[in-house]
Amino acid sequence: MKRSKLAALTAATVSLTLAAACSGGTNAASGDKAQDNTLTLASVDQGSVEEVIKAFEAKNPGVKVNFTTSGADQYQQQIRTQLASGTAPDVLSVWPGNGNPGATYVLAKPGYLLDLSDQAWAAKYPDAVKSVAQYDGKTYNAIFGLNGIGAVYNEEALSKAGLTAPQTWTQLLDFCRAAAGKGTPAFALGIQDNWVTQLVLYALVATTVYADDRDFDKKMQAGQATFANSPWTTAMAKYQDMDKAGCFQKNPLGTSYEASQELAATGRTLGLVQGNWVIALLKKKNPNGKFTIKPLPATDNPASFVMPAAAGAGYGVNAKAKNKDLALKFVNFVMSPEGMNLYVKQQGGVPALADTGFALDPSLTELADFINKNRTVPFMDQLWPNAKVQQTMLSGLQEIFSKQSTPDKVLAAMDSDYKAGS
């Protein structure tokens, strides 16, 4: 992708978000040889980090990466506790911005992350990626990929059902009813993992809120707008309308993210609403499958559609890493053209840096078109003033599905948390 096109994305992604103050520097103290050649890593990049680790170990004979992977919910619950107790790994997944407990601002502010500003790739970040990879003017997050959220379709399942991807909001509801009538729900929804609850909402909010008001975030920050008195209410209502129209399989609250992938990959649903990163996971479950990501219709005017797109989770280095030299070597491999291209190929994404020579996967054609035409907006949480807003939204959406709350109550609670600031 040309740098000018990447800039178009990153200008729209200043915004689902996974040194420090001490002066230890970047040189690890020498230890025994086994320790010097062993790296510990905690990652949420399930299904893609494995190939990157193999490539890193192959380039560094004798090096061993001991890694764990877990879902975002579990990871975010554990990582700050591990950092505070001194038991965290050398390298860890970190989200951009400020939107969740594993985000850049949240972990850099108390000094948990190593300052990576002196690494060569840090100076190459486009401005918008830089803004969510930095805290207080210093870079703490090695962000290797850019991602979008939309409707991911199983093309074979669509053909078998005799249906085509909807182009308008009215068509979307008809599509859902027709798919349900054929016994193959339109979208798998795995909101047992609460982070998944936000994706349909974000896909709708991108159009209902930002198509007509690209300055909505600035107005929120200035106290001139709220969630509860904005088109966020429209998006919430449309989310419920989709549920009522049978867009999702039975019991979304009892369905995990992993199980939702299985449903979509095997054609038991026609797709799912997710980030483009899920496409690589679907292909692992169904190597012969063809999957595409498209905007989720939110109005009857396709020309107004906007897609959420932003910097994805990257990697930070523990400020108290036992092997800082090897941690930096791994992060720099991830940020090299070889490592970055391997990662985004595995995930089905777009490189965060220009001029890596990456060949875009055909499944991302429509997403790339939206990116190039500046029809994207940030993931909504990345520049919210604290992580509590997102957590309130996630748990609130689960409560809406379980009939324990209402959209009005959830949006009011989000406003309260937003006004509390950082």
Side-chain angles (χ1 to χ4, degrees):
M1 180 177 292
K2 294 180 179 179
R3 186 172 182 85
S4 61
K5 293 182 177 180
L6 179 59
L9 166 63
T10 54
T13 58
V14 181
S15 58
L16 73 16
T17 118
L18 231 170
C22 60
S23 57
T26 59
N27 294 318
S30 61
D32 63 71
K33 188 172 182 179
Q35 179 175 317
D36 286 349
N37 289 335
T38 301
L39 178 73
T40 54
L41 167 71
S43 175
V44 295
D45 298 306
Q46 296 169 292
S48 54
V49 70
E50 294 85 352
E51 294 302 315
V52 176
I53 289 171
K54 288 179 184 177
F56 176 71
E57 290 178 337
K59 288 183 71 69
N60 296 275
V63 166
K64 175 64 177 175
V65 179
N66 292 332
F67 71 99
T68 59
T69 63
S70 58
D73 293 345
Q74 178 185 354
Y75 178 87
Q76 290 172 10
Q77 290 170 8
Q78 296 175 348
I79 196 61
R80 181 153 181 158
T81 299
Q82 292 174 349
L83 287 164
S85 64
T87 60
D90 298 321
V91 179
L92 53 144
S93 287
V94 178
W95 279 266
N98 196 35
N100 66 60
T104 303
Y105 298 9
V106 176
L107 299 183
K109 185 176 182 180
Y112 291 140
L113 300 179
L114 190 71
D115 181 4
L116 303 175
S117 302
D118 59 350
Q119 304 307 303
W121 47 263
K124 299 178 182 178
Y125 272 149
D127 288 344
V129 175
K130 184 185 298 182
S131 70
V132 292
Q134 291 187 336
Y135 173 75
D136 199 24
K138 297 178 180 179
T139 299
Y140 293 96
N141 196 346
I143 294 172
F144 53 85
L146 305 167
N147 295 305
I149 297 171
V152 177
Y153 295 101
N154 181 328
E155 295 293 338
E156 182 181 2
L158 278 176
S159 179
K160 187 175 180 179
L163 297 172
T164 58
Q167 302 297 311
T168 68
W169 169 249
T170 298
Q171 289 178 12
L172 174 64
L173 297 183
D174 290 341
F175 172 80
C176 288
R177 297 184 187 103
K182 293 175 181 290
T184 311
F187 303 114
L189 184 62
I191 58 174
Q192 184 180 91
D193 294 293
N194 76 349
W195 70 271
V196 178
T197 62
Q198 67 195 310
L199 300 179
V200 173
L201 184 60
Y202 283 8
L204 294 169
V205 164
T207 296
T208 63
V209 175
Y210 293 90
D212 292 328
D213 190 358
R214 291 301 186 101
D215 292 329
F216 181 79
D217 286 320
K218 293 179 180 178
K219 292 177 181 177
M220 287 286 292
Q221 292 161 10
Q224 299 169 354
T226 64
F227 296 114
N229 293 297
S230 75
W232 271 80
T233 59
T234 304
M236 280 282 203
K238 287 179 180 289
Y239 200 167
Q240 290 188 300
D241 288 343
M242 288 179 66
D243 188 34
K244 293 172 184 174
C247 288
F248 312 119
Q249 86 288 353
K250 292 181 180 179
N251 194 22
L253 284 168
T255 304
S256 68
Y257 174 46
E258 172 73 22
S260 73
Q261 296 171 36
E262 189 70 26
L263 291 172
T266 58
R268 283 179 283 169
T269 65
L270 303 184
L272 71 175
V273 179
Q274 261 290 345
N276 54 273
W277 54 81
V278 81
I279 293 175
L281 301 176
L282 298 178
K283 288 181 177 179
K284 288 181 182 295
K285 295 178 182 295
N286 180 2
N288 296 320
K290 181 181 178 183
F291 305 93
T292 56
I293 184 168
K294 299 176 179 291
L296 183 69
T299 71
D300 283 339
N301 177 18
S304 73
F305 292 173
V306 177
M307 295 181 73
Y315 286 107
V317 175
N318 183 353
K320 297 182 179 179
K322 293 181 174 61
N323 198 336
K324 290 181 183 177
D325 284 343
L326 194 55
L328 287 169
K329 183 176 283 190
F330 178 79
V331 165
N332 286 329
F333 174 72
V334 168
M335 296 303 289
S336 70
E338 179 184 355
M340 186 175 292
N341 288 352
L342 177 58
Y343 233 132
V344 296
K345 179 180 179 181
Q346 291 294 314
Q347 290 190 336
V350 178
L353 300 181
D355 304 322
T356 66
F358 183 69
L360 192 70
D361 189 286
S363 64
L364 304 180
T365 300
E366 199 155 348
L367 172 61
D369 187 56
F370 270 70
I371 288 170
N372 292 337
K373 292 179 179 177
N374 198 24
R375 294 177 63 188
T376 62
V377 293
F379 292 170
M380 288 73 200
D381 58 273
Q382 285 189 354
L383 287 181
W384 287 347
N386 59 64
K388 177 64 173 166
V389 183
Q390 187 193 49
Q391 297 306 306
T392 295
M393 176 185 65
L394 299 180
S395 59
L397 287 167
Q398 285 183 322
E399 290 169 358
I400 289 171
F401 270 83
S402 63
K403 311 300 183 186
Q404 299 178 62
S405 189
T406 65
D408 289 346
K409 290 180 181 179
V410 173
L411 292 174
M414 289 170 61
D415 278 325
S416 179
D417 290 330
Y418 191 100
K419 291 174 184 176
S422 59

